[in-house]
Every structure is written in C-alpha cells, then in structure tokens.
Amino acid sequence: MYRDPNPFDEGADDSAFSNGGGRGGAGGGNSQFQFRPAEPVGFGGGGSRDAAVDIPLDNMNGSNGKDSELSQWQADLKRREADIKRREEALKSAGVPMEDKNWPPFFPIIHHDIANEIPANAQRLQYLAFASWLGIVLCLVWNFIAVIVCWIRGGDSKLFFLATIYGMLGIPLSYLMWYRPLYRAMRTDSALSFGWFFLCYMLHIGFCIIAAIAPPIVFKGKSLTGILAAIDTFSDNALVGIFYFVGFALFSLETVVSIWVLQRVYMYFRGHK
C-alpha cells in the first residue's frame, strides 16, 4: 500500500529544506527545488562584481575651457590697453596735442583749455568768443522756458516743438560750426579755420537778429522770444509777455556782443597776418 510521506516528519531525508537537498544526495531522491546564493546584479548585465562605471567628464572639461577663454580674454584686454598707452605716449612725445574732455568740470563733454593752448595775446579774445557762445546757449534755453510758459497758458503745442528744435540743434551746432573752428584757428593759426569761422559766425548773427525781432513768419513768430512776439503776448497775458521781453533783451545783447566779437576777430586776423 502506497504511503504518502509526511513532509513535516523530522526523520524524512527527502525534505526540500534538508542539507542534502541542494546537492542531490541519495536516500530520498533528488529534490525538485535547489537554492543558490544570491549574486549582485552588475551594471552591464553580466553579473560581474568588478564592473567599471563610466562617469562623464564633459562638465569638468567645459569649466576648464571657460577658464582658459576668460584668461585669454583678460590677456588680450591688457595687451590692447598697453598698446593704447604706448600710442598716447608716442603722440605726446611727437608734440601732437591730446584733447581730453575737461569742461564743464562737473560733467566733462568738451575739451576747453584756453590758458594752456591759446597764445597769450589771443586769450582775451578767445574768452570773449567763449562768452558769446555761452550767451547763445542762455538765449536758447530761456527761449525754451518762455515758450513752455506760453504753451501752458494756452499757446499752440507746435510752438513747444519748434523751441525744442531750436535748442537741441542750435547749441551743439553753434559749438561745432563756429566756436570750435575759432578755437582751432587761434591755436594752430589756420587761415582755413578763420575763414570757416567768419562764414558760420555771420549766419549766427543773422539768426540772433531774426530771433530778436521774431517776425510773424512761422506760427505768428511766437516760437522765438522777439520784440514783436513779446508785444503780442503781453496784451494777452502779462506773465508770458514778461518772459518774452526778457528773451528779447537776451537776443539783442547777444547780437551786439556777436558783432563786436566778429569785428575783433577780423582785426586780429588782419593784423596777425
């Protein structure tokens, strides 16, 4: 009679959990289940315990490349600075004047050094011409302020834009067209620079005369603070009229000073030559 062996019997040699089960020993037959010790799983799928791991070095190489580029850029910048200094020293040694911006002192935008660059016998005349240039700057600034007051009091907005154009163009053009050429003519004794100054300065005097009169040509002449515009605005608004009368006085004074400067410079040019 067939007897089913009890798997929980202590004497059973065929137990799957016995010591001989893993070796397939005799006495109870081979076991169907054999256990192996667990092995670590390798990164490459081959089960090797000593599998090598590849670590990307792109970040390290990129940082090293950036450092080398930065150091190269700094070296190139230093080389350029040294080259510029060497050229400046060469120009100074050759006697070429270096025009560094030094005026106005609080915000230098132009080069201006009458005491060191203009001959002693022409410095007073150059200071007078400089006062004439400052005068036209003051006239255009005051003209802008007066037109703003007129605009606030009900004037045409086109007058404001015209006054802005007069100021933004008149100030730099007066410096570039006639004051700077006179400064260069006094310093280098250039007849061509003197001729250019005379031409542009006569245009400057013509503009001052028109501004002092303010004929009703463009927008009834109220974009310039001349005598006609001052009389017209004073009848409508006394405050605006006062601003315009002050502008008329400034343009008139600038006209007189400019004519005097032109005469003095011409006499200097003829006598010096």
Side-chain angles (χ1 to χ4, degrees):
M1 182 176 178
Y2 177 77
R3 181 181 177 183
D4 187 13
N6 186 1
F8 298 100
D9 189 1
E10 294 180 357
D13 295 335
D14 296 337
S15 175
F17 300 99
S18 63
N19 294 331
R23 297 186 302 269
N30 294 333
S31 174
Q32 295 179 356
F33 302 98
Q34 296 180 358
F35 290 89
R36 287 185 177 182
E39 296 181 357
V41 179
F43 290 95
S48 177
R49 297 185 179 183
D50 298 332
V53 180
D54 295 333
I55 300 176
L57 300 178
D58 294 341
N59 295 332
M60 297 178 62
N61 294 332
S63 62
N64 294 332
K66 291 181 180 179
D67 292 339
S68 61
E69 290 179 1
L70 181 60
S71 60
Q72 184 178 1
W73 179 79
Q74 291 177 351
D76 186 58
L77 182 61
K78 291 180 179 180
R79 181 181 57 81
R80 292 183 180 181
E81 290 178 354
D83 189 25
I84 292 174
K85 290 181 180 180
R86 185 171 59 254
R87 292 181 181 180
E88 290 179 353
E89 292 176 356
L91 291 175
K92 289 181 180 179
S93 61
V96 179
M98 301 297 295
E99 296 185 353
D100 298 329
K101 296 178 181 180
N102 58 355
W103 194 91
F106 56 89
F107 187 71
I109 56 177
I110 62 174
H111 175 76
H112 195 259
D113 192 5
I114 296 177
N116 296 323
E117 295 180 346
I118 305 301
N121 60 335
Q123 288 184 6
R124 184 177 179 181
L125 182 57
Q126 188 65 43
Y127 278 118
L128 185 61
F130 184 60
S132 175
W133 180 69
L134 293 179
I136 190 62
V137 172
L138 177 61
C139 290
L140 293 175
V141 171
W142 184 264
N143 183 81
F144 178 75
I145 295 174
V147 172
I148 287 180
V149 175
C150 180
W151 177 41
I152 294 175
R153 293 290 180 173
D156 194 346
S157 60
K158 295 180 180 179
L159 304 178
F160 168 76
F161 289 108
L162 283 175
T164 304
I165 293 174
Y166 297 154
M168 293 182 65
L169 294 180
I171 294 175
L173 285 179
S174 61
Y175 176 79
L176 296 174
M177 298 298 290
W178 60 263
Y179 181 75
R180 191 61 187 173
L182 178 62
Y183 189 93
R184 189 181 301 110
M186 291 292 190
R187 188 180 63 182
T188 61
D189 197 18
S190 173
L192 182 62
S193 297
F194 272 110
W196 182 261
F197 162 75
F198 289 134
L199 177 62
C200 295
Y201 202 64
M202 285 189 291
L203 295 177
H204 158 74
I205 293 175
F207 171 77
C208 291
I209 294 174
I210 294 175
I213 299 174
I217 298 175
V218 181
F219 299 107
K220 297 182 180 180
K222 291 184 180 180
S223 61
L224 292 172
T225 56
I227 182 63
L228 298 180
I231 295 173
D232 189 13
T233 55
F234 189 81
S235 59
D236 297 333
N237 192 301
L239 178 63
V240 178
I242 291 173
F243 274 88
Y244 271 68
F245 271 113
V246 173
F248 160 69
L250 291 176
F251 275 115
S252 300
L253 181 61
E254 175 65 19
T255 303
V256 174
V257 173
S258 299
I259 294 174
W260 186 31
V261 169
L262 180 63
Q263 182 182 5
R264 294 288 301 275
V265 172
Y266 180 74
M267 292 175 61
Y268 174 84
F269 175 73
R270 291 294 301 272
H272 189 63
K273 295 299 180 184

